[in-house]
Amino acid sequence: MQTSIRELKAHLSEYIRQVEAGETVTVSIHNRPVAQIVPIKQQADLSELAKQPGISWSGGKPNGLPKGEALPEGVGLADWVIEDRR
C-alpha cells in the first residue's frame, strides 16, 4: 500500500491500524517512495528458540572470557578499539 505524506498525516491512525494488521505502508513525497512503515515482528520466546536445530541453552548466564583485557596505559579507548579492529 502506498500513500503520500499529506494523506498519512491526515489519516495516521487508520494507516497504523493497517500496519498493525500486517500491511506495509510505503510513504511517498511527490510520487517518490521515501519510507516504509512496517509491522514489528513478534519476538520468539526462549522456548521457541530452543526448539531450533543446533541451538542449546542450559538456562544460565554465559561465562564470558576467561580473562578480560586491560586498557594499555597511555592509550585512549577509541584508539585501542580501532587498533583491535584491524
Side-chain angles (χ1 to χ4, degrees), residues 10-64:
H11 302 282
L12 181 60
S13 296
E14 181 181 323
Y15 285 105
I16 294 298
R17 277 192 288 276
Q18 291 177 6
V19 170
E20 186 179 31
E23 292 285 328
T24 297
V25 177
T26 301
V27 182
S28 62
I29 297 176
H30 303 296
N31 293 323
R32 184 176 52 92
V34 295
Q36 283 189 325
I37 304 173
V38 297
I40 296 175
K41 294 180 181 176
Q42 296 297 325
Q43 289 184 330
D45 65 359
L46 292 177
S47 63
E48 289 178 30
L49 290 174
K51 293 177 189 174
Q52 298 296 318
I55 294 182
S56 63
W57 181 45
S58 64
K61 291 179 72 172
N63 293 332

